[in-house]
Amino acid sequence: MSFGLDNLPYGVFSRPGEPRRVGVRVGDQVLDLAAALGGDVYAAPSLNPLLALGRAAWQETRARAREAAATGDHLIPLAEVTLHLPVEVADYVDFYASLEHASNLGRMFRPDDEPLKQNWRHLPVGYHGRAGTVVVSGTPIRRPCGQRPSFGPSQKLDIEAEVGFVVGVPTRLGERAGAFEDHVFGVALVNDWSARDIQAWEYVPLGPFLGKSFATSMSAWITPLDALEEARVEGRSQEPEPLTYLRRQAPWGLDLTLHVELNGETVSTPSFRDMYWTPDQMLAHMTVNGASLRTGDLFASGTVSSPGQPGSLIELTWNGAEPVKLPGETRTFLEDGDTVTITAWTSHGISLGEVSGRILPAT
Amino acid sequence: MSFGLDNLPYGVFSRPGEPRRVGVRVGDQVLDLAAALGGDVYAAPSLNPLLALGRAAWQETRARAREAAATGDHLIPLAEVTLHLPVEVADYVDFYASLEHASNLGRMFRPDDEPLKQNWRHLPVGYHGRAGTVVVSGTPIRRPCGQRPSFGPSQKLDIEAEVGFVVGVPTRLGERAGAFEDHVFGVALVNDWSARDIQAWEYVPLGPFLGKSFATSMSAWITPLDALEEARVEGRSQEPEPLTYLRRQAPWGLDLTLHVELNGETVSTPSFRDMYWTPDQMLAHMTVNGASLRTGDLFASGTVSSPGQPGSLIELTWNGAEPVKLPGETRTFLEDGDTVTITAWTSHGISLGEVSGRILPAT
């Protein structure tokens, strides 16, 4: 991974005995932004104060960080720092924006019915997840217990490879969001761990709850939108045409390829380019009812599945019926000790870092 | 409303030109806790620092507040203060714990099916709501727009009369909550405003989203559990017997009667005593998968409906088919300018204050 001067993602780091502060990744080093640029905003234990400043300040910070990085000063080897959750997450919303993912799950769970529910092509279906259990990449994931419907450790522990969007500029209650780039600071990789057996029993009629709330992992590095300019693409064509408030004003599809690795083996490479609903549409939908945004809100795309390249094991193994082959073994769902790492790259070579987690046995 | 020395609920207030701080309601006055007791905890703009201290500190604060209130010093007339959102809400979870409410909605929406889904008697069904749009009682509520499925202002704007529980003491990720009274600080009244037409179109398969996320109102006063000792009752009998982790360890049913007023007329008086799932069971369920609690988490009961006394208009009017009579007019769902006020009392005369809101027209 290069992380050159055209990338410069933001994170929060600390050195032993020192407080958390904001850094920018440059190659395998961290630019200490508080030391390089000065100011309370960068000495904060999360990106939230920077997020709240808005687009002009984000662009100025990025220009100054690039200059500072070029000097070679205030750079600390990654090996010497601990990375922390970069954002104090306000509300966490998860969408369901992949046509392939929604269709696959529909086919599996409602084989006698249309795979897509009637509303799916009319709005980006979404729900609120648990903000308090969003953890930084590298945090071990404890296998959850629950009703499956008999009580015990989940036997269908799964991943969801997703792309997340971090909100900087808030709105007031009753107000709709403006342009995507005026509110959204940047992009994270997200793994929305899912206990499929718990979820299947509990989710009717109010949606997923404990099957998801035990943990959601996000990457330590947030890639600013400005680093992704060259990756912007038109969104996938939509039929029927969305209502006025959902119409795209600018291309906010992103040409990103995700790499899902299970114990070091790549098992799928879905493309974010194939998503049916684009993130600008998600933002417009989320606020059309007047719901306000807060600095630190995180909304994620839902599982990114492309034709033949699904972003979850339930799809990859067709609910366990077709195990995936790994060297010397197979997998249906996750076993204790398994490590899942999701990376993503633009076709121009910008890395979105990684989101990784290892499964601990249930207690 | 008396608000005597046996009650003493907590809130956050300010006087013009002065910062927000913690107060305790005494009759029609506010005891300025920062002035009376000193300390940064009470000078805070939310109850969260006090919430984080835990039960021993809550009890000590209550004893000192009672002594201070008896002196008559540091009391400010309610008319001179503004009341604010008392809690910085971390995650907001809403349950669906009334047998009558869940059965009524099942009968209305799935007339050919069993009213209750198969899971309902096995676990307290719940979901995450939007924490960022929880507002204090008195905040005007803007009628939301959305897909119904045609786009426009909601034509089925409804209330949900609920009882909410405020978490003080957090847990670590992977850990289950301990005893109810060791985590939960106190009780609020909640109105979970609901746009039934938006909700009905969007909620399959991931649950309510924009039909609820535009606003949730909570009372300005949080009644500490210690003020409700005499109201504690055994919970309603449950069949089948819940799994071990859901078994009640102590009586945390509450003998509270809610009064739902629409434009000053009482339209329903449901009892919290009739709830099928008790709040200790909700807490145990919410954390059985290892999901952590944070200080400021709010979980609400879902609509409190008793036999013949529903806590929502959709039940009271049977989805609009049987309008409710008010002096000189009728209502099916809420009209612009309507005011809904929910109050609650224990049978021993402890008031839980009120949660109130007036509907503004859509923009």
Side-chain angles (χ1 to χ4, degrees):
Chain A
M1 289 192 280
S2 64
F3 292 100
L5 297 182
D6 50 352
N7 191 342
L8 300 177
Y10 294 85
V12 170
F13 75 98
S14 65
R15 286 202 288 197
E18 295 181 5
R20 297 179 189 202
R21 54 199 192 271
V22 173
V24 165
R25 181 160 178 180
V26 184
D28 287 333
Q29 304 181 95
V30 182
L31 174 67
D32 182 339
L33 222 53
L37 307 188
D40 288 349
V41 164
Y42 311 120
S46 80
L47 298 179
N48 291 47
L50 172 61
L51 297 179
L53 293 181
R55 197 173 179 215
W58 303 337
Q59 292 182 323
E60 191 199 328
T61 293
R62 182 166 165 81
R64 293 178 65 203
R66 183 178 284 132
E67 285 171 27
T71 68
D73 295 336
H74 307 297
L75 290 165
I76 306 167
L78 265 179
E80 293 178 16
V81 308
T82 302
L83 297 174
H84 303 280
L85 188 67
V87 176
E88 192 182 325
V89 179
D91 270 299
Y92 165 49
V93 166
D94 200 22
F95 285 94
Y96 192 54
S98 159
L99 180 67
E100 282 68 31
H101 175 68
S103 302
N104 285 335
L105 265 64
R107 276 187 208 105
M108 258 180 268
F109 290 119
R110 300 179 300 269
D112 300 330
D113 216 343
E114 284 293 310
L116 292 180
K117 290 286 182 185
Q118 221 185 345
N119 57 14
W120 198 90
R121 285 177 183 272
H122 294 272
L123 52 82
V125 169
Y127 70 101
H128 286 90
R130 191 164 184 83
T133 54
V134 176
V135 297
V136 69
S137 175
T139 306
I141 304 301
R142 179 75 62 186
R143 181 183 299 273
C145 289
Q147 297 193 30
R148 318 152 300 163
S150 67
F151 188 84
S154 171
Q155 293 169 342
K156 289 192 170 182
L157 186 54
D158 198 358
I159 60 160
E160 297 203 330
E162 308 197 6
V163 176
F165 299 87
V166 175
V167 172
V169 175
T171 60
R172 280 177 301 190
L173 194 68
E175 186 179 85
R176 296 188 197 173
F180 180 73
E181 65 272 23
D182 288 338
H183 292 281
V184 171
F185 172 81
V187 178
L189 293 178
V190 171
N191 186 346
D192 185 39
W193 306 94
S194 298
R196 301 295 181 191
D197 41 3
I198 296 172
Q199 184 185 348
W201 172 238
E202 75 177 357
Y203 90 106
V204 184
L206 299 185
F209 185 34
L210 299 187
K212 305 271 197 176
S213 67
F214 56 97
T216 303
S217 299
M218 74 184 285
S219 52
W221 299 106
I222 309 299
T223 307
L225 291 187
D226 282 340
L228 297 170
E229 269 299 313
E230 292 188 291
R232 291 175 62 183
V233 292
E234 299 290 335
R236 189 162 166 170
S237 69
Q238 298 179 309
E239 177 59 40
E241 187 179 20
L243 290 175
T244 311
Y245 81 91
L246 284 172
R247 280 187 203 147
R248 295 168 180 150
Q249 306 296 318
W252 279 111
L254 291 171
D255 186 12
L256 299 177
T257 304
L258 279 62
H259 299 254
V260 181
E261 283 180 23
L262 176 50
N263 297 336
E265 295 293 316
T266 298
V267 295
S268 188
T269 56
S271 171
F272 190 75
R273 199 177 174 128
D274 291 328
M275 298 299 275
Y276 189 86
W277 295 102
T278 45
D280 51 322
Q281 295 179 307
M282 299 176 202
L283 185 75
H285 185 61
M286 198 162 62
T287 60
V288 71
N289 67 344
S292 46
L293 298 172
R294 287 184 294 172
T295 297
D297 280 350
L298 172 68
F299 63 97
S301 60
T303 308
V304 180
S305 291
S306 294
Q309 300 292 338
S312 70
L313 293 176
I314 195 171
E315 292 167 88
L316 194 64
T317 69
W318 211 250
N319 200 15
E322 300 167 16
V324 60
K325 291 196 179 87
L326 299 177
E329 52 181 353
T330 60
R331 280 292 178 285
T332 51
F333 291 95
L334 295 173
E335 300 194 1
D336 293 343
D338 281 352
T339 296
V340 176
T341 302
I342 302 162
T343 58
W345 298 78
T346 71
S347 54
H348 295 82
I350 297 287
S351 168
L352 273 79
E354 67 172 37
V355 58
S356 187
R358 183 164 171 273
I359 305 302
L360 301 181
T363 43
Chain B
M1 291 193 280
S2 63
F3 292 100
L5 297 183
D6 50 351
N7 192 340
L8 300 177
Y10 294 85
V12 169
F13 75 98
S14 65
R15 286 202 288 197
E18 294 181 5
R20 298 179 188 201
R21 53 199 192 271
V22 173
V24 164
R25 182 160 177 180
V26 183
D28 286 334
Q29 303 182 94
V30 182
L31 174 66
D32 183 338
L33 222 53
L37 306 189
D40 288 348
V41 164
Y42 311 120
S46 80
L47 297 179
N48 291 45
L50 172 60
L51 297 179
L53 294 182
R55 197 172 179 215
W58 303 338
Q59 292 183 323
E60 191 199 326
T61 293
R62 183 166 164 81
R64 294 178 65 201
R66 183 178 283 132
E67 284 171 27
T71 67
D73 296 336
H74 307 297
L75 289 166
I76 306 168
L78 265 178
E80 294 178 16
V81 308
T82 302
L83 298 175
H84 303 280
L85 188 66
V87 176
E88 192 182 325
V89 179
D91 270 300
Y92 165 48
V93 166
D94 200 21
F95 285 94
Y96 192 55
S98 159
L99 180 67
E100 282 68 31
H101 175 69
S103 303
N104 285 335
L105 265 63
R107 277 188 207 104
M108 258 181 267
F109 289 120
R110 301 180 298 270
D112 300 330
D113 216 344
E114 284 293 309
L116 292 180
K117 290 286 183 185
Q118 222 185 344
N119 57 13
W120 198 90
R121 286 177 182 272
H122 295 272
L123 52 82
V125 168
Y127 69 101
H128 286 90
R130 192 165 183 82
T133 53
V134 176
V135 297
V136 68
S137 175
T139 306
I141 304 301
R142 179 76 61 187
R143 180 183 300 273
C145 290
Q147 297 193 30
R148 319 152 299 164
S150 67
F151 188 83
S154 171
Q155 293 170 341
K156 288 192 170 182
L157 186 54
D158 197 359
I159 60 160
E160 297 203 329
E162 307 197 7
V163 176
F165 299 87
V166 175
V167 171
V169 175
T171 59
R172 280 178 301 190
L173 194 67
E175 186 179 86
R176 296 187 196 174
F180 180 73
E181 65 271 23
D182 289 337
H183 292 282
V184 172
F185 173 80
V187 178
L189 293 178
V190 171
N191 185 346
D192 185 39
W193 307 93
S194 299
R196 301 296 181 191
D197 41 3
I198 296 172
Q199 185 185 347
W201 172 239
E202 75 177 356
Y203 90 106
V204 183
L206 300 185
F209 185 35
L210 298 188
K212 304 273 196 174
S213 67
F214 56 97
T216 304
S217 299
M218 74 184 285
S219 52
W221 299 106
I222 309 298
T223 307
L225 291 187
D226 282 340
L228 297 170
E229 269 299 314
E230 291 188 292
R232 290 175 61 183
V233 292
E234 299 290 335
R236 188 162 167 170
S237 69
Q238 297 178 310
E239 176 59 41
E241 186 180 20
L243 290 175
T244 310
Y245 81 90
L246 284 172
R247 281 189 202 145
R248 296 168 180 151
Q249 307 295 317
W252 279 111
L254 292 171
D255 186 11
L256 299 176
T257 303
L258 279 62
H259 298 255
V260 181
E261 284 180 22
L262 175 50
N263 297 336
E265 296 293 316
T266 298
V267 295
S268 189
T269 56
S271 171
F272 190 75
R273 199 177 174 128
D274 291 328
M275 297 300 274
Y276 189 86
W277 295 102
T278 45
D280 51 321
Q281 295 179 307
M282 300 175 203
L283 185 75
H285 185 61
M286 198 163 59
T287 60
V288 71
N289 67 345
S292 45
L293 298 172
R294 287 184 294 172
T295 297
D297 280 350
L298 171 68
F299 63 98
S301 60
T303 308
V304 181
S305 291
S306 294
Q309 299 292 340
S312 70
L313 293 176
I314 194 171
E315 293 167 87
L316 194 64
T317 69
W318 211 250
N319 199 15
E322 300 167 15
V324 60
K325 290 196 179 88
L326 300 177
E329 53 181 353
T330 61
R331 279 292 178 285
T332 51
F333 291 95
L334 295 173
E335 300 194 1
D336 294 342
D338 281 352
T339 295
V340 176
T341 302
I342 302 162
T343 57
W345 299 78
T346 71
S347 53
H348 296 81
I350 297 287
S351 168
L352 273 81
E354 67 172 37
V355 58
S356 186
R358 183 166 172 271
I359 305 303
L360 301 180
T363 43

